Amino acid sequence: NYSLNQDTLIFLKNEKGQYISPFHDVPIYADKDVFHMVVEVPRWSNAKTEIATKDPFNPIKQDVKKGKPRCIWDYGAIPQTWEDPGHNDKHTGCCGDNDPIDVCEIGSKVCARGEIISVKVLGILAMIDEGETDWKVIAINVDDPDAANYNDINDVKRLKPGYLEATVDWFRRYKVPDGKPENQFAFNAEFKDKDFAINIIKSTHDHWRALVTKKTDGKGISCMNTTVFESPFKCDPDAAKAIVDALPPPCESACTVPTDVDKWFHHQKN
């Protein structure tokens, strides 16, 4: 059971009302081969909100520099994972993007920002974003009415024809309105299956464990947590509260979603 401290920064609390990190303290697994997902951007939302990896206890906050076209899935991250920027991925030839691994949840419910849901992994897309590996996991909420019908990536192809193609197209072009080039993909932009995806997730979990146990230098990432027993960054709940309470309030610009995130952009394909 988790609750949100709703403000311009969204901090997560446990059932006792104590601050925890959505990056480090929410367990990766909800069940066998079922993963937790932290929802950062609800479906159809433009505002770019994400886990702040460099802030103490990693609140979800508005990125004032970026808007996105409207997401066609609930978008978020799997906790206790990390795409290590010092690790060259053998599949893409590029290093990680320094964030938790991303998830696109394809079910019918629009989730809330900061919500923790349990998802079945179905497959994965290997995106290369400005020279960095940025895996995109495809998953479905276990509580979705159709979840039983989805067990691997081929089920998405069969039951949602065109949806995966639309997902690739979205990720290929979403930075073009900012004047950036189209993103590239490994495997010829083909989605890999569930088993492949779970192996990638497990490898990013290993990289996260090295990060929070100080076997890897996070270079500015906040690893403060309240639950990872072998971590030198672990602190007790009272210390966590003192750290969060002492943070300066967000600047005014962080409270306001820029109006340009609601502009539409037509990309003319040459």
Side-chain angles (χ1 to χ4, degrees):
N1 295 319
Y2 304 102
S3 64
L4 302 176
N5 178 25
Q6 279 285 11
D7 204 341
T8 49
L9 299 177
I10 300 175
F11 286 92
L12 215 62
K13 291 181 175 181
N14 63 16
E15 68 279 1
K16 297 178 182 176
Q18 298 162 334
Y19 286 110
I20 60 170
S21 162
F23 187 3
H24 306 301
D25 289 317
V26 178
I28 180 174
Y29 290 106
D31 205 341
K32 186 179 186 301
D33 282 351
V34 176
F35 296 86
H36 281 124
M37 169 184 169
V38 181
V39 178
E40 296 169 312
V41 186
R43 186 178 329 220
W44 311 129
S45 171
N46 277 34
K48 178 67 169 67
T49 45
E50 60 188 358
I51 293 172
T53 56
K54 296 189 175 181
D55 292 9
F57 291 97
N58 314 111
I60 296 170
K61 71 177 182 181
Q62 174 73 36
D63 184 338
V64 296
K65 299 174 190 170
K66 300 176 189 173
K68 280 188 174 184
R70 297 189 187 276
C71 291
I72 61 175
W73 1 249
D74 292 310
Y75 187 77
I78 296 179
Q80 297 187 338
T81 64
W82 182 53
E83 295 195 61
D84 184 352
H87 172 74
N88 191 291
D89 190 286
K90 66 181 179 181
H91 303 290
T92 65
C94 300
C95 293
D97 74 343
N98 205 29
D99 282 322
I101 199 166
D102 296 323
V103 190
C104 303
E105 190 280 311
I106 67 169
S108 55
K109 180 189 172 192
V110 178
C111 294
R113 184 172 285 111
E115 189 175 349
I116 310 294
I117 62 174
S118 300
V119 298
K120 291 166 63 174
V121 167
L122 305 173
I124 197 165
L125 177 68
M127 191 175 96
I128 301 169
D129 182 353
E130 298 182 49
E132 295 178 336
T133 300
D134 192 1
W135 292 102
K136 305 297 181 186
V137 174
I138 304 298
I140 189 166
N141 192 333
V142 297
D143 293 330
D144 190 90
D146 290 330
N149 297 323
Y150 290 86
N151 296 293
D152 212 324
I153 200 68
N154 285 330
D155 295 324
V156 186
K157 294 174 184 175
R158 178 172 55 88
L159 296 169
K160 288 180 178 276
Y163 193 84
L164 294 178
E165 292 82 352
T167 293
V168 171
D169 196 58
W170 194 97
F171 279 119
R172 191 188 303 281
R173 303 168 193 265
Y174 79 95
K175 288 192 174 182
V176 171
D178 295 331
K180 294 184 176 176
E182 291 185 355
N183 285 319
Q184 305 299 310
F185 304 89
F187 305 115
N188 197 32
E190 288 292 321
F191 288 80
K192 306 300 280 186
D193 66 13
K194 173 182 180 172
D195 289 342
F196 188 101
I198 287 176
N199 282 332
I200 294 295
I201 294 166
K202 286 178 177 177
S203 72
T204 62
H205 181 56
D206 291 341
H207 293 148
W208 167 81
R209 190 160 295 283
L211 173 72
V212 294
T213 55
K214 222 171 183 178
K215 294 189 173 83
T216 301
D217 182 2
K219 296 180 179 172
I221 286 185
S222 174
C223 294
M224 289 180 185
N225 67 84
T226 60
T227 60
V228 187
F229 294 108
E230 69 272 37
S231 172
F233 303 100
K234 182 178 179 290
C235 63
D236 66 55
D238 288 342
K241 183 178 187 306
I243 290 165
V244 173
D245 289 349
L247 292 174
C251 64
E252 199 60 39
S253 63
C255 310
T256 307
V257 178
T259 55
D260 63 0
V261 303
D262 284 322
K263 288 181 181 175
W264 289 87
F265 181 86
H266 177 69
H267 176 52
Q268 187 69 45
K269 183 72 174 171
N270 294 328

